[in-house]
PDB file of all heavy atoms in Angstrom:
ATOM      1  N   GLN Z 311      -9.824 -10.431 -19.416  1.00 90.00           N
ATOM      2  CA  GLN Z 311      -9.698  -9.844 -18.043  1.00 90.00           C
ATOM      3  C   GLN Z 311     -10.316 -10.784 -17.029  1.00 90.00           C
ATOM      4  O   GLN Z 311      -9.998 -10.790 -15.897  1.00 90.00           O
ATOM      5  CB  GLN Z 311     -10.514  -8.474 -17.983  1.00 90.00           C
ATOM      6  CG  GLN Z 311      -9.633  -7.335 -18.374  1.00 90.00           C
ATOM      7  CD  GLN Z 311     -10.542  -6.056 -18.488  1.00 90.00           C
ATOM      8  OE1 GLN Z 311     -11.747  -6.133 -18.642  1.00 90.00           O
ATOM      9  NE2 GLN Z 311      -9.824  -4.922 -18.484  1.00 90.00           N
ATOM     10  N   ALA Z 312     -11.240 -11.653 -17.529  1.00 88.00           N
ATOM     11  CA  ALA Z 312     -11.901 -12.551 -16.604  1.00 88.00           C
ATOM     12  C   ALA Z 312     -10.905 -13.716 -16.258  1.00 88.00           C
ATOM     13  O   ALA Z 312     -11.234 -14.433 -15.244  1.00 88.00           O
ATOM     14  CB  ALA Z 312     -13.175 -13.148 -17.249  1.00 88.00           C
ATOM     15  N   LEU Z 313      -9.812 -13.876 -16.904  1.00 90.00           N
ATOM     16  CA  LEU Z 313      -8.938 -14.938 -16.554  1.00 90.00           C
ATOM     17  C   LEU Z 313      -8.163 -14.597 -15.243  1.00 90.00           C
ATOM     18  O   LEU Z 313      -7.963 -13.426 -14.943  1.00 90.00           O
ATOM     19  CB  LEU Z 313      -7.889 -15.190 -17.683  1.00 90.00           C
ATOM     20  CG  LEU Z 313      -8.374 -15.647 -19.033  1.00 90.00           C
ATOM     21  CD1 LEU Z 313      -7.202 -15.654 -20.045  1.00 90.00           C
ATOM     22  CD2 LEU Z 313      -8.894 -17.034 -18.887  1.00 90.00           C
ATOM     23  N   PRO Z 314      -7.966 -15.619 -14.375  1.00 91.00           N
ATOM     24  CA  PRO Z 314      -7.286 -15.338 -13.199  1.00 91.00           C
ATOM     25  C   PRO Z 314      -5.838 -14.736 -13.429  1.00 91.00           C
ATOM     26  O   PRO Z 314      -5.118 -15.285 -14.185  1.00 91.00           O
ATOM     27  CB  PRO Z 314      -7.098 -16.688 -12.458  1.00 91.00           C
ATOM     28  CG  PRO Z 314      -7.416 -17.705 -13.589  1.00 91.00           C
ATOM     29  CD  PRO Z 314      -8.238 -17.022 -14.559  1.00 91.00           C
ATOM     30  N   GLU Z 315      -5.563 -13.627 -12.730  1.00 88.00           N
ATOM     31  CA  GLU Z 315      -4.345 -12.879 -13.011  1.00 88.00           C
ATOM     32  C   GLU Z 315      -3.156 -13.725 -12.505  1.00 88.00           C
ATOM     33  O   GLU Z 315      -2.069 -13.583 -13.200  1.00 88.00           O
ATOM     34  CB  GLU Z 315      -4.377 -11.509 -12.295  1.00 88.00           C
ATOM     35  CG  GLU Z 315      -3.242 -10.537 -12.583  1.00 88.00           C
ATOM     36  CD  GLU Z 315      -3.203 -10.233 -14.085  1.00 88.00           C
ATOM     37  OE1 GLU Z 315      -4.189 -10.276 -14.849  1.00 88.00           O
ATOM     38  OE2 GLU Z 315      -1.995 -10.030 -14.563  1.00 88.00           O
ATOM     39  N   GLY Z 316      -3.359 -14.542 -11.581  1.00 90.00           N
ATOM     40  CA  GLY Z 316      -2.288 -15.359 -11.037  1.00 90.00           C
ATOM     41  C   GLY Z 316      -1.630 -16.238 -12.121  1.00 90.00           C
ATOM     42  O   GLY Z 316      -0.360 -16.446 -12.123  1.00 90.00           O
ATOM     43  N   LEU Z 317      -2.464 -16.738 -12.984  1.00 90.00           N
ATOM     44  CA  LEU Z 317      -2.053 -17.585 -14.110  1.00 90.00           C
ATOM     45  C   LEU Z 317      -1.001 -16.866 -14.933  1.00 90.00           C
ATOM     46  O   LEU Z 317       0.104 -17.437 -15.271  1.00 90.00           O
ATOM     47  CB  LEU Z 317      -3.252 -17.800 -15.012  1.00 90.00           C
ATOM     48  CG  LEU Z 317      -3.295 -19.030 -15.883  1.00 90.00           C
ATOM     49  CD1 LEU Z 317      -3.335 -20.283 -15.005  1.00 90.00           C
ATOM     50  CD2 LEU Z 317      -4.498 -18.934 -16.782  1.00 90.00           C
ATOM     51  N   ILE Z 318      -1.219 -15.573 -15.213  1.00 90.00           N
ATOM     52  CA  ILE Z 318      -0.295 -14.868 -16.104  1.00 90.00           C
ATOM     53  C   ILE Z 318       0.941 -14.442 -15.306  1.00 90.00           C
ATOM     54  O   ILE Z 318       2.105 -14.441 -15.767  1.00 90.00           O
ATOM     55  CB  ILE Z 318      -1.042 -13.587 -16.630  1.00 90.00           C
ATOM     56  CG1 ILE Z 318      -2.109 -14.066 -17.695  1.00 90.00           C
ATOM     57  CG2 ILE Z 318      -0.027 -12.648 -17.380  1.00 90.00           C
ATOM     58  CD1 ILE Z 318      -3.206 -13.158 -17.859  1.00 90.00           C
ATOM     59  N   GLU Z 319       0.783 -14.088 -14.047  1.00 90.00           N
ATOM     60  CA  GLU Z 319       1.879 -13.662 -13.252  1.00 90.00           C
ATOM     61  C   GLU Z 319       2.870 -14.757 -12.977  1.00 90.00           C
ATOM     62  O   GLU Z 319       4.051 -14.593 -13.036  1.00 90.00           O
ATOM     63  CB  GLU Z 319       1.384 -13.149 -11.832  1.00 90.00           C
ATOM     64  CG  GLU Z 319       1.250 -11.670 -11.741  1.00 90.00           C
ATOM     65  CD  GLU Z 319       0.463 -11.270 -10.601  1.00 90.00           C
ATOM     66  OE1 GLU Z 319       0.542 -11.881  -9.507  1.00 90.00           O
ATOM     67  OE2 GLU Z 319      -0.292 -10.176 -10.708  1.00 90.00           O
ATOM     68  N   ALA Z 320       2.266 -15.963 -12.768  1.00 91.00           N
ATOM     69  CA  ALA Z 320       3.101 -17.161 -12.593  1.00 91.00           C
ATOM     70  C   ALA Z 320       4.079 -17.338 -13.827  1.00 91.00           C
ATOM     71  O   ALA Z 320       5.188 -17.701 -13.701  1.00 91.00           O
ATOM     72  CB  ALA Z 320       2.245 -18.391 -12.381  1.00 91.00           C
ATOM     73  N   ALA Z 321       3.399 -17.149 -15.012  1.00 91.00           N
ATOM     74  CA  ALA Z 321       4.187 -17.355 -16.258  1.00 91.00           C
ATOM     75  C   ALA Z 321       5.193 -16.321 -16.382  1.00 91.00           C
ATOM     76  O   ALA Z 321       6.386 -16.561 -16.849  1.00 91.00           O
ATOM     77  CB  ALA Z 321       3.203 -17.392 -17.426  1.00 91.00           C
ATOM     78  N   ARG Z 322       4.835 -15.146 -15.943  1.00 89.00           N
ATOM     79  CA  ARG Z 322       5.771 -14.027 -15.985  1.00 89.00           C
ATOM     80  C   ARG Z 322       7.000 -14.321 -15.130  1.00 89.00           C
ATOM     81  O   ARG Z 322       8.217 -14.099 -15.505  1.00 89.00           O
ATOM     82  CB  ARG Z 322       5.196 -12.629 -15.486  1.00 89.00           C
ATOM     83  CG  ARG Z 322       4.172 -12.095 -16.371  1.00 89.00           C
ATOM     84  CD  ARG Z 322       4.740 -11.559 -17.664  1.00 89.00           C
ATOM     85  NE  ARG Z 322       5.650 -10.412 -17.532  1.00 89.00           N
ATOM     86  CZ  ARG Z 322       6.549 -10.019 -18.344  1.00 89.00           C
ATOM     87  NH1 ARG Z 322       6.613 -10.694 -19.503  1.00 89.00           N
ATOM     88  NH2 ARG Z 322       7.223  -9.009 -18.163  1.00 89.00           N
ATOM     89  N   ILE Z 323       6.729 -14.830 -13.937  1.00 91.00           N
ATOM     90  CA  ILE Z 323       7.887 -15.156 -12.996  1.00 91.00           C
ATOM     91  C   ILE Z 323       8.755 -16.307 -13.607  1.00 91.00           C
ATOM     92  O   ILE Z 323      10.001 -16.268 -13.448  1.00 91.00           O
ATOM     93  CB  ILE Z 323       7.279 -15.615 -11.646  1.00 91.00           C
ATOM     94  CG1 ILE Z 323       6.631 -14.303 -10.971  1.00 91.00           C
ATOM     95  CG2 ILE Z 323       8.360 -16.200 -10.765  1.00 91.00           C
ATOM     96  CD1 ILE Z 323       5.739 -14.673  -9.862  1.00 91.00           C
ATOM     97  N   ASP Z 324       8.044 -17.216 -14.335  1.00 91.00           N
ATOM     98  CA  ASP Z 324       8.875 -18.258 -14.977  1.00 91.00           C
ATOM     99  C   ASP Z 324       9.615 -17.719 -16.149  1.00 91.00           C
ATOM    100  O   ASP Z 324      10.353 -18.467 -16.882  1.00 91.00           O
ATOM    101  CB  ASP Z 324       7.918 -19.392 -15.460  1.00 91.00           C
ATOM    102  CG  ASP Z 324       7.333 -20.119 -14.223  1.00 91.00           C
ATOM    103  OD1 ASP Z 324       8.025 -19.955 -13.165  1.00 91.00           O
ATOM    104  OD2 ASP Z 324       6.493 -20.940 -14.443  1.00 91.00           O
TER     105      ASP Z 324
END
Side-chain angles (χ1 to χ4, degrees):
Chain Z
Q311 271 170 345
L313 294 173
E315 190 56 32
L317 204 67
I318 293 155
E319 263 167 34
R322 290 292 293 161
I323 291 165
D324 288 347

